């Protein structure tokens, strides 16, 4: 970590305001002493975007607030360095006093409620746990290599411990997909990976019934009406699932231009995979995808397959 610079101080005003303490069950305030090193969490629903600040308690006030001198900031990975010279209005550092004007060692003084501050040990340990969860999540979104069911179990437990239900669901879905390929986190041919895809997709669709808003976000990203992002980790995993299926079906298409002639898969087998995906992206047909329901997409896919053509997955 580096000392907070003037440019980073601009970010602090935005990021501290995004602190989500309640989501991790952190509402209870700790007792602090003057001179104590403290941790100011700037946590997001997706821990990949987490940030934090470090400082020292300068004053303890009777009204339940603390005056801190913040001298280090780690911004979230997805945040941009932009803003005004001082922390913007409406954030936790709004109106913060810049104590040191040295651009390489700038210190911000601000008064914060105690429930927005954590002891350094507790805060840093929680941040590390969330960071390790983020590593597993990003690994799955990338190559996925080595993301075994056991590693997913660890990620799921960590997500439960820090109170991130969407991340729990995202890692559960990742585990379902990896287990269905029978490769235990390592690459296998599409002809093997897709053998159990249809029941896996039905299981995923059932899981997503509790998260229709995440599916809607993923649908907008897939439809091109919303830029792809990772603010919602569950939506990002749904998009990743689509990418994996599309690639695997593309590998089958390389074996034969005519889906009726693919070894190991009947037309009905392939249609079940496509239908499973359509159930996922419509939350088991409870909300339309691009103004159409499962029957529309299934009938379109069935016609293409029976005509000897590979249908689009979306």
């Amino acid at each position: 970590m580096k000392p907070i610079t003037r440019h980073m101080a601009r970010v602090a005003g935005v990021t501290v305001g995004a602190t989500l303490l309640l989501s991790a069950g952190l509402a209870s305030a700790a007792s602090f002493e003057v001179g104590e090193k403290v941790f100011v969490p700037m946590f997001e629903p997706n821990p990949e975007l987490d940030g934090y600040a470090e400082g020292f308690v300068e004053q303890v006030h009777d009204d339940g607030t603390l005056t801190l001198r913040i001298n280090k900031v780690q911004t979230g990975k997805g945040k941009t360095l932009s803003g005004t010279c001082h922390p913007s209005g409406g954030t936790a550092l709004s109106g913060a006093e810049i104590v040191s004007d040295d651009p390489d060692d700038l210190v911000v003084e601000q008064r914060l409620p105690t429930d927005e501050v954590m002891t350094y040990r507790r805060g840093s340990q929680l941040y590390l746990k969330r960071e390790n969860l983020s590593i597993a999540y990003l690994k799955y979104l990338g190559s996925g290599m080595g993301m075994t069911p056991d590693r997913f179990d660890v990620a799921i437990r960590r997500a439960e411990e820090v109170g991130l239900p969407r991340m729990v669901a995202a890692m559960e879905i990742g585990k379902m997909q990896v287990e269905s390929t029978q490769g235990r986190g390592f690459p296998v041919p599409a002809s093997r990976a897709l053998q159990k895809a249809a029941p896996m997709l039905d299981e995923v669709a059932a899981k997503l019934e509790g998260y229709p808003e995440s599916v809607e976000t993923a649908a907008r990203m897939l439809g091109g009406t919303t830029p792809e992002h990772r603010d919602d980790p569950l939506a990002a995993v749904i998009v990743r699932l689509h990418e994996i299926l599309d690639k695997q079906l593309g590998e089958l298409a390389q074996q034969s231009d005519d889906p009726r002639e693919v070894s190991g898969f009947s037309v009905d087998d392939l249609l079940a995979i496509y239908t499973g995906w359509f159930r996922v992206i419509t939350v088991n047909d409870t909300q339309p995808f691009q103004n159409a329901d499962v029957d529309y997409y299934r009938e379109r896919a069935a016609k293409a397959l029976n005509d000897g053509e590979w249908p689009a997955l979306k």
Side-chain angles (χ1 to χ4, degrees):
M1 290 179 299
K2 299 179 180 179
I4 182 171
T5 65
R6 180 187 298 275
H7 202 43
M8 292 173 67
R10 300 171 188 169
V11 185
V14 177
T15 55
V16 173
T19 301
L20 299 177
L21 299 177
L22 291 177
S23 66
L26 306 174
S28 58
S31 177
F32 299 97
E33 298 179 355
V34 172
E36 181 179 354
K37 187 176 183 179
V38 292
F39 185 97
V40 182
M42 301 184 291
F43 294 162
E44 297 287 343
N46 179 354
E48 177 196 0
L49 307 178
D50 282 355
Y52 65 87
E54 294 178 14
F56 294 86
V57 178
E58 192 170 68
Q59 295 182 61
V60 178
H61 304 282
D62 292 338
D63 63 357
T65 62
L66 305 170
T67 296
L68 307 178
R69 284 204 173 196
I70 296 172
N71 54 15
K72 293 182 182 178
V73 170
Q74 174 67 53
T75 59
K77 300 177 184 65
K79 295 183 173 60
T80 58
L81 299 177
S82 61
T84 59
C85 292
H86 291 270
S88 58
T91 69
L93 290 189
S94 174
E97 179 185 354
I98 298 178
V99 178
S100 168
D101 221 13
D102 182 344
D104 295 322
D105 189 20
L106 188 140
V107 178
V108 174
E109 183 179 276
Q110 178 62 313
R111 189 163 172 168
L112 292 174
T114 54
D115 60 5
E116 293 183 13
V117 182
M118 301 176 70
T119 63
Y120 181 76
R121 180 177 180 180
R122 184 184 180 205
S124 58
Q125 288 177 340
L126 180 58
Y127 179 86
L128 182 59
K129 184 177 292 187
R130 292 171 63 100
E131 186 74 358
N132 287 333
L133 170 60
S134 175
I135 290 170
Y137 162 74
L138 291 174
K139 193 172 186 67
Y140 179 67
L141 288 189
S143 67
M145 181 72 74
M147 279 303 295
T148 64
D150 289 344
R151 288 199 66 183
F152 276 109
D153 286 337
V154 172
I156 291 166
R157 185 174 68 250
R158 284 176 174 154
E160 290 172 340
E161 289 173 351
V162 300
L164 294 174
R166 287 175 194 258
M167 185 62 83
V168 171
M171 293 294 92
E172 288 174 339
I173 289 172
K175 181 181 177 182
M176 292 175 195
Q177 185 273 318
V178 165
E179 287 184 325
S180 74
T181 67
Q182 310 168 75
R184 292 194 58 81
F186 297 93
V188 296
S191 56
R192 178 182 174 187
L194 288 170
Q195 286 177 3
K196 298 184 178 182
M200 175 271 292
L201 290 168
D202 287 343
E203 190 178 359
V204 170
K207 167 69 66 177
L208 290 173
E209 288 181 13
Y211 304 92
E213 63 284 352
S214 291
V215 181
E216 184 178 359
T217 299
R220 289 199 302 269
M221 288 192 279
L222 290 169
T225 58
T226 296
E228 288 196 19
H229 59 78
R230 295 203 288 264
D231 294 346
D232 182 338
L234 182 52
V237 164
I238 296 168
V239 172
R240 177 58 180 153
L241 178 60
H242 176 272
E243 293 172 350
I244 292 170
L245 291 170
D246 202 35
K247 180 180 178 181
Q248 291 171 341
L249 289 167
E251 290 179 20
L252 289 188
Q254 290 178 2
Q255 297 179 20
S256 173
D257 292 336
D258 189 334
R260 297 170 297 184
E261 299 175 357
V262 174
S263 176
F265 291 87
S266 67
V267 166
D268 286 343
D269 292 335
L270 293 173
L271 183 58
I273 295 172
Y274 282 94
T275 303
W277 168 252
F278 301 143
R279 290 197 185 105
V280 167
I281 203 60
T282 61
V283 198
N284 262 340
D285 218 9
T286 60
Q287 60 188 36
F289 173 62
Q290 296 183 353
N291 300 315
D293 58 12
V294 170
D295 284 342
Y296 169 81
Y297 289 109
R298 181 173 52 227
E299 290 172 7
R300 189 179 67 173
K303 182 179 186 306
L305 290 168
N306 287 314
D307 289 344
E309 300 175 353
W310 286 95
L313 195 59
K314 63 176 181 177

